[in-house]
Amino acid sequence: MNLNKKLIIAITILLSFSSYGQTKVEKNEKPPNIIFILADDLGYGDVSSYNENSKIKTVNIDKLASEGVIFTDAHTSSAVCTPTRYGILTGRYNWRSTLKKHVLQGYSKALIKPDRTTIAGFLKAKGYKTAGIGKWHLGWDWANVEKGKDAVDYTQKIKNGPITRGFDYWYGFNGSLDMAPYVWVENDQPTMVPTKFTKNTDYQAMWRKGLTSDDFVHEQVLPEITTRTVSFINENAKNDQPFFVYMPLPAPHTPILPTKEFKGKSGLDNPYGDFVLMVDWVVGEVIKALDEQGITENTILVFTSDNGCSPRADFNQLTTKDHNPSYIFRGHKADIFEGGHRVPFIVRWPEKVKSAKSNQLVCTTDFFATIADVLDVKPTDTMAEDSFSFLPALKIKSSLTVRESIVHHSINGSFAYRKNDWKAIFCPGSGGWSFPRPRDKAAIDSLPKFQLYNLSSDIGEEHNLQDEKSELLEEYRKELATIVLNGRSTEGEKQKNDGPETWSQLSWMDEKTDD
């Protein structure tokens, strides 16, 4: 090898390392604690560090953003609750499960199969103490539920809940905060037998009529989750064993119920703004607990949302205050448009990661592979099939492939495929709750079957270029079909999707787009 060639190789190696600030966890280092805070229906534009025009000042989330990496192109795998939670915990696209559209209810059975490894189970096997505190919304099996919801025996333990899906400790409830039954479950055991019925018919504070335990007070659920999470941190901070806390909040989802201390605090004349500030307070309490225990440096703290903001926030009223929860994006929760699934996503790890802003394409399913990469462990072929490590975006050296494309999914099960600046949508309209909705038949029938947008020049998804770029649309259709049929989007052995091999929302697989 001549001198010039040696010099080129040396420079290449040097440059490849200089772009990274840190290496992963070394063998003699204690693995980091990990906390994942998942807000519920929080819009991208509700966080002031993401929206320069936000009228809600989220000072604690902003502090987190200023100390960590703020991702600007992060997405949930679905535009609604249950599917996104499935994707986070399994690292697998939600539509590969048996749930092909919509969400589960409070009496629904377990969605995650017993043989599916969750990130909690993965970390538990690596020596972590794992805890989940908050809203599950992935179904579990109430005792005697097979005879109907009125026959449920609340004196008995549930089955196939968080404890059997990898968590050492669980405290929370099954559905959303507006879905009965309103019963706390701690480590598989209901804490009380519900004996009364409650409901709220207020538009924004609505919850459905249902059985309610005396110890379950809707307004106090968010403070209760916060108190228990802080207690878990305090109790485990000094242990040699690292911990993982999954903290899925029930806010600012309906019922929108800010406590007395937060009512009117946002100045928006809308309880939604006050409830967002309460979510911000939760983040501040977690940050404070880590600081007080002296474990901030080696704790990975992730904050994100499960989908875009719900129309229950009252977009029209917020517009009068010059606040847009969807920022500059089209649509909102449930939609295939960016407002449905683009979310704030912040990662802080002071010991290894410097503050920065990243435009790396990220999906919430990527949490699994990233944490595995941190620990330098490779998931097996049957784990985390749609999860890519984003460690390079944190400037931590990794040899793994980064995400280059992503699949989006709306509440009615419609698909979209994004790669580079282009996004192909395989349905007309929103596929969700904003106009034109699937039920707006006249409007839907007047539209092309598919949509294609260039997000670099048209972030509002207003100009459908499916005619002008028909070859690209066809190329994306084929790529998405391959991802569906392979049972995975990452490298590895092909896997099978759960349920039928094909379903109605895959009709586009048989329709060439350039005919």
Side-chain angles (χ1 to χ4, degrees), residues 345-364:
F345 193 91
I346 300 166
V347 181
R348 188 187 74 170
W349 186 11
E351 188 166 292
K352 296 280 187 178
V353 178
K354 292 181 179 177
S355 62
K357 182 177 285 190
S358 173
N359 60 3
Q360 168 64 45
L361 182 64
V362 167
C363 181
T364 42

Side-chain angles (χ1 to χ4, degrees), residues 86-323:
Y86 180 91
I88 290 169
L89 291 183
T90 65
R92 185 189 194 213
Y93 283 138
N94 49 274
W95 41 267
R96 299 197 195 278
S97 76
T98 54
L99 188 72
K100 306 303 184 187
K101 60 180 180 179
H102 299 157
V103 300
L104 298 184
Q105 300 296 312
Y107 290 98
S108 298
K109 289 200 161 190
L111 178 63
I112 301 177
K113 288 186 170 183
D115 60 353
R116 168 64 48 182
T117 301
T118 66
I119 183 63
F122 177 85
L123 286 170
K124 184 176 180 178
K126 300 304 169 194
Y128 274 73
K129 186 171 185 178
T130 59
I133 302 171
K135 166 183 169 178
W136 182 240
H137 209 183
L138 285 163
W140 60 46
D141 302 347
W142 295 98
N144 213 36
V145 72
E146 62 276 4
K147 293 183 178 177
K149 64 180 184 181
D150 294 335
V152 168
D153 184 352
Y154 295 98
T155 67
Q156 302 299 311
K157 289 187 174 182
I158 64 162
K159 294 180 180 176
N160 291 314
I163 296 300
T164 54
R165 297 299 184 270
F167 289 95
D168 292 310
Y169 176 75
W170 168 261
Y171 189 90
F173 53 96
N174 192 22
S176 273
L177 198 52
D178 55 9
M179 294 176 179
Y182 308 111
V183 176
W184 290 112
V185 169
E186 185 172 23
N187 294 337
D188 286 349
Q189 181 66 53
T191 58
M192 286 188 75
V193 175
T195 56
K196 64 184 180 186
F197 286 84
T198 66
K199 69 173 181 179
N200 193 331
T201 57
D202 180 272
Y203 180 73
Q204 288 186 293
M206 180 280 298
W207 70 80
R208 297 167 179 84
K209 182 180 179 181
L211 274 171
T212 308
S213 300
D214 285 344
D215 64 348
F216 195 102
V217 180
H218 283 74
E219 291 87 346
Q220 292 302 318
V221 166
L222 191 54
E224 181 70 18
I225 290 169
T226 307
T227 298
R228 288 184 178 269
T229 301
V230 169
S231 294
F232 181 89
I233 292 170
N234 292 341
E235 291 166 6
N236 291 277
K238 305 302 182 187
N239 294 343
D240 292 334
Q241 184 182 20
F243 64 76
F244 165 57
V245 179
Y246 172 58
M247 189 186 189
L249 311 179
H253 190 289
T254 52
I256 297 171
L257 290 171
T259 55
K260 182 180 176 182
E261 296 82 359
F262 290 90
K263 286 181 178 176
K265 197 171 182 180
S266 68
L268 293 180
D269 300 326
N270 186 329
Y272 177 75
D274 305 334
F275 213 21
V276 171
L277 286 181
M278 202 166 163
V279 169
D280 185 63
W281 165 79
V282 172
V283 175
E285 291 298 292
V286 172
I287 290 173
K288 187 166 68 174
L290 296 175
D291 288 344
E292 290 176 352
Q293 293 296 330
I295 58 172
T296 295
E297 287 293 310
N298 197 27
T299 296
I300 298 175
L301 179 52
V302 179
F303 175 82
T304 187
S305 180
D306 66 341
N307 45 249
C309 178
S310 167
R312 290 268 178 168
D314 195 346
F315 277 58
N316 289 336
Q317 190 277 339
L318 291 170
T319 298
T320 67
K321 302 292 183 180
D322 296 324
H323 178 77

